[in-house]
Amino acid sequence: MIAIVPANLEFGRLLPRTYTRRIIIHHSASPDVSARVIHGWHLAKGWSGIGYHYVIRADGTVEAGRPLDKIGAHAGAEVNCDSIGVCLTGNFMDHQPTGAQLGSLVQLADYLEYTYAAVLKVLRHKDVAATDCPGELFPWPESSWPQAQPDPDQCFSACCPALPPWKESLLNEAMASNLITETHDPDEPAPCWLVLAVGLNVLKEVRSNESK
């Protein structure tokens, strides 16, 4: 189960991210500050707003930053276009992240993989750019992180409210008609792979009916 605190930030022009394949980890190189504070720093640089999609505070609180479906500004143009930026507050050149931060990072990564129905590669900023971020004291490899991970079905039920009957009926009918093969959140934006999969399933059903 993971709770994400909305920051209710206002942004300038943002571009949609059409493909997601990795998560890039950063540190704020600062004291424990909020996503709103970082938002102000990045606006002062002339950016459209906070470049990270999530900020994990010292107590493990996860705050939303840039909208998840938008291209971030955190690791360079070639990386931003297909990645999600996650920033842990603190300076990990001086100290390690807290256990609460690492626990939330594991849960957030699991949540994002469930959301995108894909295995997302987890990298440090220093793995894709010439930088020390997220600091020499950030624990790596991932096997050094907390191992307890939530069940994806529990994550879905915890993060998403119960569906109204008409939406649940719609999903059930779509599955019975072979338009989809697994449950999806009907309120989430549909990624390209899902649109293509549904289109192919529709085509299969049409051809199947024509051959009868």
Side-chain angles (χ1 to χ4, degrees), residues 57-126:
R57 306 291 299 276
D59 65 358
T61 299
V62 179
E63 298 180 349
R66 187 167 292 213
L68 183 57
D69 62 341
K70 303 300 182 184
I71 294 176
H74 57 91
E78 292 183 359
V79 179
N80 295 337
C81 62
D82 65 8
S83 67
I84 298 167
V86 177
C87 179
L88 281 67
T89 58
N91 188 336
F92 306 142
M93 296 295 287
D94 299 331
H95 60 85
Q96 290 190 332
T98 67
Q101 282 180 305
L102 291 175
S104 291
L105 178 58
V106 169
Q107 289 190 340
L108 179 60
D110 285 350
Y111 165 71
L112 291 171
E113 288 193 337
Y114 182 76
T115 299
Y116 286 92
V119 175
L120 301 178
K121 191 170 185 179
V122 179
L123 298 170
R124 300 165 296 179
H125 188 186
K126 68 195 312 180

